[in-house]
Amino acid sequence: MAVHEELPVVVVGAGPVGLAAAAHLLERGIEPLVLEAGGSAGSAVAAWGHVRLFSPWRYDVDAAARRLLEATGWTAPDPDALPTGAELVERYLTPLAATPQIAARLRTSSRVVAISREGADKTRSLGRERLAYRVRVQGPDGATHHVRARAVLDASGTWGQPNPVGTGGLPALGEVGSSAVTGPLPDVLGTDRALFAGRRTLVVGMGHSAANTLLSLVELARDEPGTRITWAVRGGSPRRLYGGGTDDELPARGQLGTRLRDAVESGLVTLATRTSIERIEPVEPAGGNWPVGTSGTVGTADAPVRSAAPSDVPTATGPVRVQGATRDGELDLEVDTVVGATGFRPDLDMLREVRLDLDPVVESPRALADLIDPNHHSCGTVPPHGEALLTHPDTGFYVVGMKSYGRAPTFLLATGYEQVRSIAAALAGDREAADLVQLDLPATGVCSTDLALDPVSGETAEVSCCGTSPASPEPVLVTFGAPAGSLGFATGTAHGRSADEQEVPR
């Protein structure tokens, strides 16, 4: 009999992976309690609801969650369609949270602020493994209470913890609290249009979030004269984001990189490489009016601005001066808005009293780090993995989903589902099922989510992020320990950050 078997397993977060965890636990006869900080399931996903995923529905729905939903008469979406974040919430997460099994065990507006062993801080060792977990929760009324748990799965994600745009991992001077700094995915062509139309924007970052924001700004500039776009990257070139074009086995991603390269080469986007940002400060108005036009030069620097949460979009205010350095020298740029598309990091403060074994670089579970390190991997070369690689010194505690990847941006939604399936099996005592980590994937692997709409035509690219084409997938059973060459998909360029140092071929 497991220790404290009468207690629930607390799942922190009611996003896709958190709700999948609850579904798998229920199938194993284990009582879950899901604690969601937002007012409803999928609150973080809803914050980027305008973004379309690369992966189609067939890979966005967890198997145990599907079984729960189908018992209610739920109609599955077209498996080959690419949902937006809003559609993922409306057509999947909300119905899943409303199933009687999940609804009875879901507490919204309940923010977990700390986790510890009952009656013991991190330093106590004697009898520690026999202690229940004590989860401190701030409820809807603001009052704090505690929940006892036999185990804890932290699926809280990283959405509320953006990396700063400042150099060296630190916020630039003036970044924190700046009204000019947004999170990584503003709705440029929708609700946030007025913030960017006819104004000057600096986009910092070299991931797909940056690429999609840049392409949305390019589209906006066609209709809104005076819209100016500067793109700052910390590496020596954007070759990794440009990808391999027609050599990319994911056409939508290849098209994304090709369109972005074309926008830079045509002068629609001004690119600054080896950028470090040191300072962001308001520009003083001249004669009572905010100045119009760009002053200064774009040079080389590492990035200074930001502190707004990813969902925060500032109101239009006066311009700011962004200062630092670039490959070409000094960075001294006047802009109206800075989009910080620099990725995320995990919130570890709430886990201070839990004994964790984290990789010092990636901040993921140590055993997982080599498989996901962005210096060596893209999302297409990360194999599935389960409970054995997600354990910590405190038994029964797991970080799952996006947060389990720490600072690595290589997370796969389908792999997160496999994580929690494996953990549920382990908690139920089924070691064989826990260790047999596998996924049915197309031969080319799976990619993480992002936009897949052509910003020119507005049409969805006919591509599966989980294969070369949704019309003719080639399923393959991928098990843990398979050679890296049997996973992923060709991008037409080197994986990992080493590619950042290469010049863009002309």
Side-chain angles (χ1 to χ4, degrees), residues 5-320:
E5 195 174 46
E6 76 284 359
L7 297 178
V9 172
V10 165
V11 178
V12 185
V17 176
L19 291 181
H24 282 283
L25 290 167
L26 285 167
E27 285 196 339
R28 289 284 183 171
I30 299 173
E31 185 71 15
L33 176 62
V34 183
L35 302 173
E36 165 61 38
S40 60
S43 292
V45 178
W48 47 267
H50 59 285
V51 176
R52 191 169 297 277
L53 282 68
F54 269 146
S55 51
W57 275 109
R58 70 172 70 242
Y59 300 104
D60 299 331
V61 177
D62 172 73
R66 177 185 291 274
R67 291 188 284 269
L68 271 181
L69 284 164
E70 288 177 342
T72 69
W74 174 74
T75 301
D78 178 354
D80 295 326
L82 302 169
T84 62
E87 290 166 345
L88 188 68
V89 173
E90 179 182 355
R91 303 191 64 186
Y92 173 50
L93 299 181
T94 296
L96 178 58
T99 59
Q101 298 91 329
I102 299 290
R105 298 166 173 89
L106 171 62
R107 304 290 181 268
T108 57
S109 300
S110 299
R111 179 176 297 277
V112 173
V113 295
I115 300 170
S116 69
R117 288 285 199 173
E118 193 168 45
D121 65 12
K122 184 185 289 187
T123 65
R124 174 179 165 179
S125 297
L126 184 63
R128 186 177 186 86
E129 69 282 358
R130 298 191 298 272
L131 299 176
Y133 283 95
R134 193 169 190 251
V135 182
R136 178 170 291 181
V137 185
Q138 186 177 58
D141 59 357
T144 300
H145 63 280
H146 293 94
V147 174
R148 299 176 72 232
R150 60 178 282 195
V152 177
L153 277 65
D154 182 358
S156 59
T158 58
W159 178 249
Q161 299 292 317
N163 289 323
V165 301
T167 184
L170 302 177
L173 299 177
E175 175 180 352
V176 176
S178 172
S179 61
V181 182
T182 80
L185 290 169
D187 191 359
V188 172
L189 299 174
T191 57
D192 304 320
R193 185 185 184 97
L195 184 65
F196 301 96
R199 294 163 65 83
R200 301 155 300 173
T201 301
L202 170 65
V203 178
V204 184
M206 200 167 66
H208 288 110
S209 295
N212 284 300
T213 296
L214 288 162
L215 291 173
S216 293
L217 287 166
V218 168
E219 183 176 352
L220 180 67
R222 294 192 179 99
D223 301 325
E224 299 286 353
T227 301
R228 305 186 200 178
I229 311 158
T230 302
W231 177 26
V233 301
R234 295 170 181 167
S237 103
R239 181 171 184 262
R240 174 167 55 91
L241 184 54
Y242 287 163
T246 56
D247 293 330
D248 196 320
E249 289 186 4
L250 294 178
R253 187 181 58 189
Q255 292 166 13
L256 187 78
T258 299
R259 292 196 300 267
L260 183 56
R261 177 192 290 226
D262 289 346
V264 171
E265 293 183 347
S266 68
L268 294 173
V269 173
T270 300
L271 173 65
T273 59
R274 297 201 184 282
T275 304
S276 61
I277 300 174
E278 301 289 348
R279 181 184 298 273
I280 298 174
E281 58 185 15
V283 174
E284 294 297 328
N289 296 313
W290 291 101
V292 177
T294 302
S295 64
T297 58
V298 177
T300 301
D302 234 352
V305 168
R306 159 96 150 288
S307 91
S311 57
D312 292 343
V313 176
T315 57
T317 59
V320 292

